PDB file of all heavy atoms in Angstrom:
ATOM      1  N   ASP A 126      -1.511  58.191  54.683  1.00 98.00           N
ATOM      2  CA  ASP A 126      -0.191  58.599  55.166  1.00 98.00           C
ATOM      3  C   ASP A 126      -0.095  58.053  56.591  1.00 98.00           C
ATOM      4  O   ASP A 126      -0.694  58.615  57.518  1.00 98.00           O
ATOM      5  CB  ASP A 126      -0.071  60.132  55.149  1.00 98.00           C
ATOM      6  CG  ASP A 126       1.262  60.600  55.743  1.00 98.00           C
ATOM      7  OD1 ASP A 126       1.957  59.776  56.378  1.00 98.00           O
ATOM      8  OD2 ASP A 126       1.596  61.793  55.582  1.00 98.00           O
ATOM      9  N   MET A 127       0.670  56.985  56.739  1.00 98.00           N
ATOM     10  CA  MET A 127       0.740  56.284  58.027  1.00 98.00           C
ATOM     11  C   MET A 127       1.722  56.936  58.984  1.00 98.00           C
ATOM     12  O   MET A 127       1.982  56.410  60.081  1.00 98.00           O
ATOM     13  CB  MET A 127       1.156  54.827  57.803  1.00 98.00           C
ATOM     14  CG  MET A 127       0.172  54.001  56.994  1.00 98.00           C
ATOM     15  SD  MET A 127      -1.397  53.764  57.826  1.00 98.00           S
ATOM     16  CE  MET A 127      -0.900  52.670  59.155  1.00 98.00           C
ATOM     17  N   GLY A 128       2.281  58.068  58.539  1.00 98.00           N
ATOM     18  CA  GLY A 128       3.229  58.762  59.415  1.00 98.00           C
ATOM     19  C   GLY A 128       4.623  58.171  59.314  1.00 98.00           C
ATOM     20  O   GLY A 128       4.938  57.435  58.380  1.00 98.00           O
ATOM     21  N   GLN A 129       5.468  58.491  60.317  1.00 98.00           N
ATOM     22  CA  GLN A 129       6.866  58.065  60.264  1.00 98.00           C
ATOM     23  C   GLN A 129       7.053  56.757  61.015  1.00 98.00           C
ATOM     24  O   GLN A 129       6.443  56.550  62.076  1.00 98.00           O
ATOM     25  CB  GLN A 129       7.736  59.168  60.889  1.00 98.00           C
ATOM     26  CG  GLN A 129       7.644  60.487  60.111  1.00 98.00           C
ATOM     27  CD  GLN A 129       8.220  61.652  60.887  1.00 98.00           C
ATOM     28  OE1 GLN A 129       7.652  62.081  61.874  1.00 98.00           O
ATOM     29  NE2 GLN A 129       9.366  62.137  60.428  1.00 98.00           N
ATOM     30  N   PRO A 130       7.898  55.876  60.492  1.00 98.00           N
ATOM     31  CA  PRO A 130       8.200  54.649  61.229  1.00 98.00           C
ATOM     32  C   PRO A 130       9.004  54.993  62.479  1.00 98.00           C
ATOM     33  O   PRO A 130       9.750  55.968  62.512  1.00 98.00           O
ATOM     34  CB  PRO A 130       9.042  53.830  60.244  1.00 98.00           C
ATOM     35  CG  PRO A 130       9.673  54.845  59.338  1.00 98.00           C
ATOM     36  CD  PRO A 130       8.697  55.984  59.241  1.00 98.00           C
ATOM     37  N   ARG A 131       8.831  54.209  63.523  1.00 98.00           N
ATOM     38  CA  ARG A 131       9.642  54.314  64.744  1.00 98.00           C
ATOM     39  C   ARG A 131      10.647  53.177  64.686  1.00 98.00           C
ATOM     40  O   ARG A 131      10.243  52.015  64.553  1.00 98.00           O
ATOM     41  CB  ARG A 131       8.798  54.197  66.000  1.00 98.00           C
ATOM     42  CG  ARG A 131       7.798  55.341  66.256  1.00 98.00           C
ATOM     43  CD  ARG A 131       6.615  55.321  65.348  1.00 98.00           C
ATOM     44  NE  ARG A 131       5.448  55.978  65.927  1.00 98.00           N
ATOM     45  CZ  ARG A 131       4.286  56.062  65.278  1.00 98.00           C
ATOM     46  NH1 ARG A 131       4.167  55.580  64.056  1.00 98.00           N
ATOM     47  NH2 ARG A 131       3.249  56.636  65.865  1.00 98.00           N
ATOM     48  N   LEU A 132      11.949  53.520  64.773  1.00 98.00           N
ATOM     49  CA  LEU A 132      12.997  52.536  64.493  1.00 98.00           C
ATOM     50  C   LEU A 132      13.925  52.262  65.678  1.00 98.00           C
ATOM     51  O   LEU A 132      14.751  51.349  65.609  1.00 98.00           O
ATOM     52  CB  LEU A 132      13.826  53.010  63.286  1.00 98.00           C
ATOM     53  CG  LEU A 132      12.999  53.241  61.997  1.00 98.00           C
ATOM     54  CD1 LEU A 132      13.854  53.881  60.907  1.00 98.00           C
ATOM     55  CD2 LEU A 132      12.397  51.925  61.507  1.00 98.00           C
ATOM     56  N   LYS A 133      13.815  53.070  66.740  1.00 98.00           N
ATOM     57  CA  LYS A 133      14.693  52.831  67.900  1.00 98.00           C
ATOM     58  C   LYS A 133      14.136  51.693  68.757  1.00 98.00           C
ATOM     59  O   LYS A 133      12.911  51.534  68.872  1.00 98.00           O
ATOM     60  CB  LYS A 133      14.819  54.104  68.742  1.00 98.00           C
ATOM     61  CG  LYS A 133      15.504  55.267  68.002  1.00 98.00           C
ATOM     62  CD  LYS A 133      15.781  56.409  68.974  1.00 98.00           C
ATOM     63  CE  LYS A 133      16.473  57.571  68.276  1.00 98.00           C
ATOM     64  NZ  LYS A 133      15.464  58.286  67.380  1.00 98.00           N
ATOM     65  N   GLU A 136      11.312  52.317  70.979  1.00 98.00           N
ATOM     66  CA  GLU A 136      10.087  52.838  70.336  1.00 98.00           C
ATOM     67  C   GLU A 136       9.255  51.689  69.751  1.00 98.00           C
ATOM     68  O   GLU A 136       8.072  51.864  69.475  1.00 98.00           O
ATOM     69  CB  GLU A 136      10.452  53.791  69.183  1.00 98.00           C
ATOM     70  CG  GLU A 136      11.106  55.093  69.590  1.00 98.00           C
ATOM     71  CD  GLU A 136      11.509  55.919  68.358  1.00 98.00           C
ATOM     72  OE1 GLU A 136      12.030  55.322  67.387  1.00 98.00           O
ATOM     73  OE2 GLU A 136      11.266  57.136  68.354  1.00 98.00           O
ATOM     74  N   VAL A 167      10.329  47.129  63.525  1.00 98.00           N
ATOM     75  CA  VAL A 167       9.815  48.441  63.121  1.00 98.00           C
ATOM     76  C   VAL A 167       8.482  48.663  63.815  1.00 98.00           C
ATOM     77  O   VAL A 167       7.706  47.714  63.969  1.00 98.00           O
ATOM     78  CB  VAL A 167       9.573  48.506  61.585  1.00 98.00           C
ATOM     79  CG1 VAL A 167       8.969  49.857  61.178  1.00 98.00           C
ATOM     80  CG2 VAL A 167      10.866  48.252  60.809  1.00 98.00           C
ATOM     81  N   SER A 168       8.200  49.908  64.233  1.00 98.00           N
ATOM     82  CA  SER A 168       6.847  50.240  64.692  1.00 98.00           C
ATOM     83  C   SER A 168       6.219  51.229  63.719  1.00 98.00           C
ATOM     84  O   SER A 168       6.870  52.169  63.256  1.00 98.00           O
ATOM     85  CB  SER A 168       6.878  50.862  66.086  1.00 98.00           C
ATOM     86  OG  SER A 168       5.583  51.397  66.409  1.00 98.00           O
ATOM     87  N   MET A 169       4.954  50.961  63.394  1.00 98.00           N
ATOM     88  CA  MET A 169       4.168  51.929  62.606  1.00 98.00           C
ATOM     89  C   MET A 169       3.072  52.502  63.513  1.00 98.00           C
ATOM     90  O   MET A 169       2.006  52.850  63.073  1.00 98.00           O
ATOM     91  CB  MET A 169       3.544  51.256  61.378  1.00 98.00           C
ATOM     92  CG  MET A 169       4.525  50.846  60.307  1.00 98.00           C
ATOM     93  SD  MET A 169       5.569  52.188  59.694  1.00 98.00           S
ATOM     94  CE  MET A 169       4.347  53.358  59.117  1.00 98.00           C
ATOM     95  N   CYS A 237       3.739  48.143  55.487  1.00 99.00           N
ATOM     96  CA  CYS A 237       4.533  49.368  55.648  1.00 99.00           C
ATOM     97  C   CYS A 237       5.864  49.055  56.338  1.00 99.00           C
ATOM     98  O   CYS A 237       6.940  49.442  55.873  1.00 99.00           O
ATOM     99  CB  CYS A 237       3.760  50.389  56.479  1.00 99.00           C
ATOM    100  SG  CYS A 237       2.244  50.995  55.709  1.00 99.00           S
ATOM    101  N   VAL A 241       9.817  49.454  54.820  1.00 99.00           N
ATOM    102  CA  VAL A 241      10.821  50.251  55.539  1.00 99.00           C
ATOM    103  C   VAL A 241      12.029  49.375  55.884  1.00 99.00           C
ATOM    104  O   VAL A 241      13.182  49.747  55.633  1.00 99.00           O
ATOM    105  CB  VAL A 241      10.206  50.878  56.807  1.00 99.00           C
ATOM    106  CG1 VAL A 241      11.285  51.471  57.709  1.00 99.00           C
ATOM    107  CG2 VAL A 241       9.172  51.946  56.432  1.00 99.00           C
ATOM    108  N   ARG A 245      15.821  49.758  54.468  1.00 98.00           N
ATOM    109  CA  ARG A 245      16.954  49.983  55.386  1.00 98.00           C
ATOM    110  C   ARG A 245      18.064  48.969  55.134  1.00 98.00           C
ATOM    111  O   ARG A 245      19.243  49.246  55.336  1.00 98.00           O
ATOM    112  CB  ARG A 245      16.481  49.880  56.848  1.00 98.00           C
ATOM    113  CG  ARG A 245      15.506  50.943  57.262  1.00 98.00           C
ATOM    114  CD  ARG A 245      15.164  50.805  58.740  1.00 98.00           C
ATOM    115  NE  ARG A 245      16.228  51.339  59.593  1.00 98.00           N
ATOM    116  CZ  ARG A 245      16.450  50.957  60.844  1.00 98.00           C
ATOM    117  NH1 ARG A 245      15.724  49.980  61.371  1.00 98.00           N
ATOM    118  NH2 ARG A 245      17.401  51.520  61.567  1.00 98.00           N
ATOM    119  N   ARG A 251      12.727  52.582  47.802  1.00 98.00           N
ATOM    120  CA  ARG A 251      11.883  53.074  48.910  1.00 98.00           C
ATOM    121  C   ARG A 251      10.406  52.819  48.635  1.00 98.00           C
ATOM    122  O   ARG A 251       9.540  53.384  49.326  1.00 98.00           O
ATOM    123  CB  ARG A 251      12.128  54.565  49.142  1.00 98.00           C
ATOM    124  CG  ARG A 251      13.539  54.892  49.602  1.00 98.00           C
ATOM    125  CD  ARG A 251      13.715  56.386  49.837  1.00 98.00           C
ATOM    126  NE  ARG A 251      12.959  56.846  51.001  1.00 98.00           N
ATOM    127  CZ  ARG A 251      13.456  56.910  52.241  1.00 98.00           C
ATOM    128  NH1 ARG A 251      14.703  56.521  52.457  1.00 98.00           N
ATOM    129  NH2 ARG A 251      12.727  57.357  53.246  1.00 98.00           N
ATOM    130  N   GLU A 265       5.012  53.267  49.860  1.00 99.00           N
ATOM    131  CA  GLU A 265       6.156  54.137  49.557  1.00 99.00           C
ATOM    132  C   GLU A 265       6.664  54.761  50.852  1.00 99.00           C
ATOM    133  O   GLU A 265       5.875  55.343  51.619  1.00 99.00           O
ATOM    134  CB  GLU A 265       5.761  55.267  48.598  1.00 99.00           C
ATOM    135  CG  GLU A 265       6.915  56.226  48.292  1.00 99.00           C
ATOM    136  CD  GLU A 265       6.488  57.484  47.556  1.00 99.00           C
ATOM    137  OE1 GLU A 265       5.282  57.643  47.295  1.00 99.00           O
ATOM    138  OE2 GLU A 265       7.371  58.317  47.264  1.00 99.00           O
ATOM    139  N   TRP A 266       7.943  54.602  51.134  1.00 98.00           N
ATOM    140  CA  TRP A 266       8.584  55.301  52.263  1.00 98.00           C
ATOM    141  C   TRP A 266       9.179  56.578  51.683  1.00 98.00           C
ATOM    142  O   TRP A 266      10.266  56.570  51.112  1.00 98.00           O
ATOM    143  CB  TRP A 266       9.651  54.414  52.882  1.00 98.00           C
ATOM    144  CG  TRP A 266      10.302  55.000  54.105  1.00 98.00           C
ATOM    145  CD1 TRP A 266       9.838  56.018  54.912  1.00 98.00           C
ATOM    146  CD2 TRP A 266      11.538  54.566  54.688  1.00 98.00           C
ATOM    147  NE1 TRP A 266      10.698  56.240  55.938  1.00 98.00           N
ATOM    148  CE2 TRP A 266      11.743  55.377  55.840  1.00 98.00           C
ATOM    149  CE3 TRP A 266      12.466  53.587  54.353  1.00 98.00           C
ATOM    150  CZ2 TRP A 266      12.888  55.214  56.649  1.00 98.00           C
ATOM    151  CZ3 TRP A 266      13.603  53.413  55.153  1.00 98.00           C
ATOM    152  CH2 TRP A 266      13.800  54.234  56.280  1.00 98.00           C
ATOM    153  N   ARG A 267       8.444  57.658  51.801  1.00 98.00           N
ATOM    154  CA  ARG A 267       8.777  58.902  51.116  1.00 98.00           C
ATOM    155  C   ARG A 267      10.034  59.522  51.700  1.00 98.00           C
ATOM    156  O   ARG A 267      10.422  59.227  52.846  1.00 98.00           O
ATOM    157  CB  ARG A 267       7.587  59.877  51.272  1.00 98.00           C
ATOM    158  CG  ARG A 267       7.186  60.617  50.026  1.00 98.00           C
ATOM    159  CD  ARG A 267       5.874  61.382  50.137  1.00 98.00           C
ATOM    160  NE  ARG A 267       5.636  61.979  51.460  1.00 98.00           N
ATOM    161  CZ  ARG A 267       4.452  62.527  51.793  1.00 98.00           C
ATOM    162  NH1 ARG A 267       3.438  62.497  50.932  1.00 98.00           N
ATOM    163  NH2 ARG A 267       4.275  63.067  52.985  1.00 98.00           N
ATOM    164  N   ALA A 268      10.637  60.402  50.925  1.00 98.00           N
ATOM    165  CA  ALA A 268      11.904  61.023  51.348  1.00 98.00           C
ATOM    166  C   ALA A 268      11.735  61.830  52.636  1.00 98.00           C
ATOM    167  O   ALA A 268      12.686  62.015  53.404  1.00 98.00           O
ATOM    168  CB  ALA A 268      12.440  61.905  50.226  1.00 98.00           C
ATOM    169  N   ASP A 269      10.498  62.275  52.920  1.00 98.00           N
ATOM    170  CA  ASP A 269      10.281  63.037  54.173  1.00 98.00           C
ATOM    171  C   ASP A 269      10.009  62.102  55.358  1.00 98.00           C
ATOM    172  O   ASP A 269       9.534  62.523  56.408  1.00 98.00           O
ATOM    173  CB  ASP A 269       9.114  64.025  54.003  1.00 98.00           C
ATOM    174  CG  ASP A 269       7.778  63.301  53.786  1.00 98.00           C
ATOM    175  OD1 ASP A 269       7.781  62.056  53.648  1.00 98.00           O
ATOM    176  OD2 ASP A 269       6.735  63.985  53.755  1.00 98.00           O
ATOM    177  N   ASP A 270      10.252  60.829  55.146  1.00 98.00           N
ATOM    178  CA  ASP A 270      10.163  59.806  56.191  1.00 98.00           C
ATOM    179  C   ASP A 270       8.718  59.349  56.469  1.00 98.00           C
ATOM    180  O   ASP A 270       8.490  58.504  57.328  1.00 98.00           O
ATOM    181  CB  ASP A 270      10.812  60.276  57.507  1.00 98.00           C
ATOM    182  CG  ASP A 270      11.079  59.131  58.477  1.00 98.00           C
ATOM    183  OD1 ASP A 270      11.325  57.993  57.998  1.00 98.00           O
ATOM    184  OD2 ASP A 270      11.005  59.354  59.703  1.00 98.00           O
ATOM    185  N   HIS A 271       7.743  59.891  55.736  1.00 98.00           N
ATOM    186  CA  HIS A 271       6.364  59.401  55.891  1.00 98.00           C
ATOM    187  C   HIS A 271       6.169  58.150  55.037  1.00 98.00           C
ATOM    188  O   HIS A 271       6.716  58.053  53.927  1.00 98.00           O
ATOM    189  CB  HIS A 271       5.368  60.486  55.479  1.00 98.00           C
ATOM    190  CG  HIS A 271       5.187  61.545  56.522  1.00 98.00           C
ATOM    191  ND1 HIS A 271       3.969  61.878  57.064  1.00 98.00           N
ATOM    192  CD2 HIS A 271       6.099  62.333  57.161  1.00 98.00           C
ATOM    193  CE1 HIS A 271       4.118  62.820  57.972  1.00 98.00           C
ATOM    194  NE2 HIS A 271       5.409  63.119  58.047  1.00 98.00           N
ATOM    195  N   VAL A 272       5.360  57.230  55.552  1.00 98.00           N
ATOM    196  CA  VAL A 272       5.080  55.989  54.817  1.00 98.00           C
ATOM    197  C   VAL A 272       3.656  56.063  54.266  1.00 98.00           C
ATOM    198  O   VAL A 272       2.701  56.255  55.027  1.00 98.00           O
ATOM    199  CB  VAL A 272       5.229  54.759  55.727  1.00 98.00           C
ATOM    200  CG1 VAL A 272       4.983  53.481  54.915  1.00 98.00           C
ATOM    201  CG2 VAL A 272       6.615  54.725  56.364  1.00 98.00           C
ATOM    202  N   LEU A 273       3.543  55.951  52.955  1.00 98.00           N
ATOM    203  CA  LEU A 273       2.226  55.996  52.304  1.00 98.00           C
ATOM    204  C   LEU A 273       1.805  54.589  51.907  1.00 98.00           C
ATOM    205  O   LEU A 273       2.592  53.821  51.358  1.00 98.00           O
ATOM    206  CB  LEU A 273       2.276  56.888  51.055  1.00 98.00           C
ATOM    207  CG  LEU A 273       2.744  58.319  51.249  1.00 98.00           C
ATOM    208  CD1 LEU A 273       2.594  59.097  49.939  1.00 98.00           C
ATOM    209  CD2 LEU A 273       1.966  59.032  52.355  1.00 98.00           C
TER     210      LEU A 273
END
Side-chain angles (χ1 to χ4, degrees):
D126 176 347
M127 296 294 290
Q129 298 166 290
R131 294 73 155 180
L132 302 173
K133 296 189 179 73
E136 292 176 318
V167 177
S168 170
M169 290 304 302
C237 295
V241 169
R245 295 183 78 205
R251 296 181 69 92
E265 178 191 1
W266 184 19
R267 224 170 36 189
D269 65 354
D270 196 30
H271 282 236
V272 182
L273 304 186

